[in-house]
Amino acid sequence: MAATTPPLQSAGDNEPFRVDGALTISRAATTEREIQAAPDPLTIDLSGVERMDTVGAWLIYRTVRDRDARVVGATPQAQSLLDQVAEFDHPARVRPEERPGVVRLFSELGEWVSESGRTLVGLLGFFGGTLIGFGNLIRRPRRFRWNAVVQRFDVVGIRALGIIGLMSFLIGVVIGQQGAVQLAQFGAESFTINLIGRITVRELGPLMTAIMVAGRSGSAFAAQLGTMKITEEIDAMRTIGVSPVEALVIPRVIASVIMMPLLAFWAMLMSLLGGGIFVWLFLEIPPLTYIQRLQEVIPITDLWIGLIKAPVFGLIIALAGCFQGMLVEGNSEEVGLRTTTAVVQAIFLVIVLDAVFAVFFSSIGWK
Amino acid sequence: MTDDEIVIRIRGLSNRFGEQVVHEGLDLDVRRGEILGVVGGSGTGKSVMMRSVIGLQTPAEGEVEVLGENMVGRNEDEAKNIRRRWGILFQNGALFSTLTVAENIEVPIHEYFPFLSPSLVDEIASYKLAMGGLSPDAGPKFPSELSGGMVKRAGLARALALDPELLFLDEPTAGLDPIAAAAFDELILSLQQRLELTVFLITHDLDTLYAICDRVAVLADRKVIAVGTIPELLALDHPWIQEYFNGPRGRAAANSSEEPARV
């Protein structure tokens, strides 16, 4: 293609503006500025234009429309481009209309409140729907999907062993180390074992496991079901007569409810192991003594508390994940938002319930 | 014919996915200013061929030249200069779901010409929207709010954003009702004539072939077995071509194209 010379030459007051060379999108920014700087009345001479595209034509057309400029010297091709852009001149908004700041603040607050209320009611309704699904399955146990459940056991439980074990081990070490430093001030270092034993079995084992499972599996549930919702797989299931609750939700709920106590127990053991290794190396308490002391200081009710809480946490995580997944509508961004909400909701509810459990078990005398 | 008139030149193209051979020694030329229709049974690799041409699929062997530039093995920066000279409409529109329709059209403009004033870019998006045959109120809508036909038109408007010389369309009328499909055919034809586009069009739609294609390339047996106008293809004695154009649907499309223009 021919090299282009500078396209626009400024001329005297009533002399026409000459555009030379290319009148295209590549030079549109400069051309726009130069046309804006030119004084009225304006005549534009297009006889020197070698190449022109619709953006160039648009710039000229716009000047003619808004400033009553005159165009001379347009070739037939240029004229045809000008006619075309004129034909397509239908101004459109680019973004949806935005409301003013104060109104938006209140409307967003209102939307948030009503959305929260609807979510809570929706979650309860979803729980109810799941229970009905369970009821149907109990009446017709043949429809129970063993394969799906076993597969979820693997994904939710077995594959989480490594990361949950490592995390719990490190937590055990940290509790031992911090406890030893603080208790040393009272000369009560040997109570580090009480601290490690009770806090991991009663609280941190199930709680940290729940947070990890919410991050690992709750998010996966929401993302999977959300994607299936977008690709209409869930609608296809319904039309075939497969209930999505039976096929998708119940296996995940069962897997989480059964796997959570097992994982929590595993987490307790790994924390005790981590704490044990710490006290052995740094407080010189031999492992046998450590185990003996653990048996003395951990009441069996602590273990029950941990293992009773864990399946409830599992239920909440699975419900929140599946519920948010089923709420996905529209686009891929929604999947991400719903996944985030599922994890946040699950962890929040887990911690609230943990507090409720703490009060409850204390008041029935399991101290 | 001089070399300048050939905008896409494919020579000896081979594509494999593991054991499965999709193309083997495929040749094809697309001439400037024509609408070339590509047909072929499902699974004959029409989309894979298009992906090889536009650089989304690196072929196992062969050469692909687009607008005189070799496409195989180019790095991203070099390929960019060719990319702004073509527009692509994907089968399902492939609109960015978090942007409005008008913002979708602005994406290529912002990418290549970041110094344009925002108001000018918005105006460009508006007239491209109209070129794609959409009404102005579609501009601020999100892709999830559009019907199937509107998604295709929005995708076409985005493909036209940079005034391309070359337009790739992957099954543009698939999933549209016959009226919308006919309207889309007419839109493509009028844009092609006005903007002097070269169009590479993959389709299953026989009506589209008869209505707007200058030449048709037939993909079978891992290569292009024939290229020509529909009468030229009909004269060939290949079983797939005969069945394709002389099957019940092919005859119906042929008859309707011979009838006087619809009012």
Side-chain angles (χ1 to χ4, degrees):
Chain A
M1 253 164 249
T4 55
T5 46
L8 206 69
Q9 287 168 1
S10 167
D13 254 352
N14 282 325
E15 275 178 51
F17 273 89
R18 239 179 100 73
V19 188
D20 279 332
L23 182 58
T24 59
I25 189 167
S26 330
R27 298 207 48 101
T30 328
T31 312
E32 186 189 21
R33 261 199 314 277
E34 285 169 344
I35 289 184
Q36 254 160 20
D40 284 324
L42 190 61
T43 305
I44 302 171
D45 182 359
L46 295 181
S47 57
V49 172
E50 284 163 17
R51 268 184 302 139
M52 184 162 160
D53 63 6
T54 60
V55 175
W58 177 260
L59 281 172
I60 303 299
Y61 164 75
R62 189 174 77 163
T63 317
V64 173
R65 183 190 65 186
D66 298 343
R67 290 170 57 184
D68 267 335
R70 225 158 50 81
V71 174
V72 293
T75 59
Q77 287 100 321
Q79 193 54 50
S80 128
L81 269 175
L82 286 173
D83 294 344
Q84 272 173 48
V85 293
E87 186 189 325
F88 293 123
D89 178 20
H90 303 292
R93 260 206 332 273
V94 171
R95 279 156 282 272
E97 210 168 351
E98 285 196 352
R99 284 165 291 193
V102 182
V103 180
R104 202 165 71 226
L105 183 73
F106 279 104
S107 77
E108 271 173 20
L109 186 69
E111 272 166 27
W112 179 77
V113 170
S114 72
E115 173 72 27
S116 305
R118 253 179 296 149
T119 307
L120 200 64
V121 174
L123 192 59
L124 276 177
F126 191 74
F127 182 48
T130 313
L131 284 183
I132 292 173
F134 263 111
N136 291 340
L137 275 183
I138 289 169
R139 273 188 282 127
R140 272 164 289 176
R142 274 199 196 171
R143 301 228 315 247
F144 190 68
R145 288 155 202 276
W146 288 105
N147 281 344
V149 176
V150 171
Q151 199 198 348
R152 290 299 128 201
F153 280 171
D154 179 43
V155 176
V156 176
I158 317 282
R159 283 163 200 244
L161 284 177
I163 184 67
I164 288 179
L166 178 65
M167 176 189 72
S168 305
F169 180 87
L170 293 175
I171 286 175
V173 172
V174 171
I175 293 171
Q177 194 260 334
Q178 293 293 316
V181 170
Q182 295 302 319
L183 290 169
Q185 296 175 13
F186 309 101
E189 282 150 305
S190 61
F191 281 98
T192 307
I193 301 173
N194 301 43
L195 182 67
I196 297 170
R198 296 210 64 181
I199 203 168
T200 54
V201 175
R202 193 181 172 117
E203 279 298 326
L204 285 187
L207 191 63
M208 296 307 288
T209 309
I211 290 174
M212 192 51 107
V213 171
R216 257 189 106 256
S217 303
S219 59
F221 295 168
Q224 277 171 347
L225 267 58
T227 313
M228 292 179 79
K229 195 84 192 293
I230 287 186
T231 55
E232 297 182 316
E233 283 176 64
I234 288 177
D235 293 340
M237 272 187 181
R238 282 213 180 91
T239 56
I240 295 169
V242 178
S243 146
V245 171
E246 275 178 29
L248 299 174
V249 178
I250 288 180
R252 285 169 171 77
V253 170
I254 292 179
S256 303
V257 169
I258 294 181
M259 280 299 145
M260 261 302 292
L262 298 179
L263 286 172
F265 188 70
W266 164 248
M268 294 169 194
L269 289 184
M270 291 304 284
S271 296
L272 293 179
L273 179 69
I277 289 176
F278 175 81
V279 297
W280 184 21
L281 292 181
F282 293 91
L283 305 181
E284 281 153 12
I285 300 172
L288 267 182
T289 320
Y290 178 69
I291 293 171
Q292 225 168 16
R293 288 279 293 146
L294 280 182
Q295 283 175 327
E296 287 163 20
V297 300
I298 306 176
I300 193 67
T301 49
D302 273 10
L303 181 67
W304 296 142
I305 291 173
L307 293 184
I308 289 172
K309 286 197 286 195
V312 179
F313 292 170
L315 176 71
I316 288 176
I317 292 166
L319 282 180
C322 296
F323 173 61
Q324 292 294 336
M326 295 294 248
L327 284 186
V328 167
E329 258 161 32
N331 56 38
S332 52
E333 192 184 19
E334 181 101 337
V335 178
L337 287 176
R338 291 290 174 190
T339 307
T340 309
T341 315
V343 176
V344 171
Q345 219 168 49
I347 293 178
F348 175 73
L349 287 175
V350 161
I351 290 173
V352 168
L353 265 188
D354 193 50
V356 173
F357 273 124
V359 175
F360 174 76
F361 286 124
S362 292
S363 68
I364 65 167
W366 287 9
K367 290 176 178 151
Chain B
M1 188 190 310
T2 65
D3 274 8
D4 189 42
E5 284 175 321
I6 292 174
V7 286
I8 302 176
R9 182 199 301 275
I10 306 175
R11 287 288 176 274
L13 179 74
S14 296
N15 273 307
R16 294 183 201 101
F17 296 106
E19 292 288 290
Q20 190 196 353
V21 179
V22 183
H23 299 133
E24 186 104 68
L26 181 149
D27 295 345
L28 182 67
D29 286 336
V30 181
R31 300 175 193 154
R32 184 172 293 278
E34 75 173 347
I35 301 186
L36 179 83
V38 175
V39 301
S42 297
T44 50
K46 301 184 293 293
S47 294
V48 175
M49 179 166 84
M50 185 178 110
R51 291 172 67 87
S52 309
V53 175
I54 60 186
L56 290 176
Q57 161 91 31
T58 308
E61 282 162 35
E63 285 173 22
V64 177
E65 229 176 61
V66 179
L67 299 163
E69 305 260 3
N70 175 33
M71 289 303 295
V72 180
R74 297 297 287 272
N75 67 36
E76 273 302 301
D77 280 344
E78 292 172 333
K80 255 193 153 182
N81 291 325
I82 309 169
R83 275 169 206 222
R84 55 166 276 209
R85 294 170 65 190
W86 71 40
I88 295 154
L89 169 61
F90 286 95
Q91 198 169 346
N92 297 314
L95 296 174
F96 303 120
S97 57
T98 55
L99 302 179
T100 65
V101 170
E103 285 171 334
N104 261 283
I105 300 172
E106 292 180 0
V107 168
I109 305 174
H110 282 305
E111 179 61 31
Y112 287 98
F113 303 101
F115 301 116
L116 294 182
S117 65
S119 64
L120 178 62
V121 175
D122 287 353
E123 285 175 28
I124 296 174
S126 294
Y127 80 71
K128 298 287 178 185
L129 200 67
M131 274 186 173
L134 285 165
S135 65
D137 53 306
K141 282 188 179 161
F142 285 93
S144 56
E145 302 170 87
L146 302 181
S147 69
M150 286 164 83
V151 167
K152 302 263 183 179
R153 285 170 184 269
L156 183 65
R158 187 179 68 185
L160 292 172
L162 294 177
D163 281 341
E165 299 162 46
L166 183 55
L167 196 58
F168 291 91
L169 309 172
D170 191 355
E171 303 210 15
T173 55
L176 299 187
D177 68 75
I179 299 170
F184 204 82
D185 284 346
E186 268 165 43
L187 177 68
I188 294 170
L189 190 63
S190 82
L191 286 172
Q192 187 260 345
Q193 283 163 357
R194 289 165 159 211
L195 305 175
E196 293 161 12
L197 298 168
T198 306
V199 181
F200 180 100
L201 181 144
I202 293 176
T203 190
H204 274 304
D205 191 334
L206 284 150
D207 291 313
T208 305
L209 291 180
Y210 277 103
I212 65 173
C213 289
D214 298 314
R215 291 194 308 154
V216 175
V218 182
L219 229 68
D221 309 328
R222 304 193 198 101
K223 53 185 68 165
V224 176
I225 54 169
V227 193
T229 60
I230 293 174
E232 282 168 19
L233 292 179
L234 281 171
L236 295 175
D237 191 27
H238 189 281
W240 193 86
I241 297 176
Q242 287 300 326
E243 196 174 340
Y244 188 80
F245 288 103
N246 283 329
R249 282 158 173 263
R251 277 204 304 276
N255 290 337
S256 71
S257 77
E258 281 157 16
E259 277 167 23
R262 276 160 285 180
V263 184

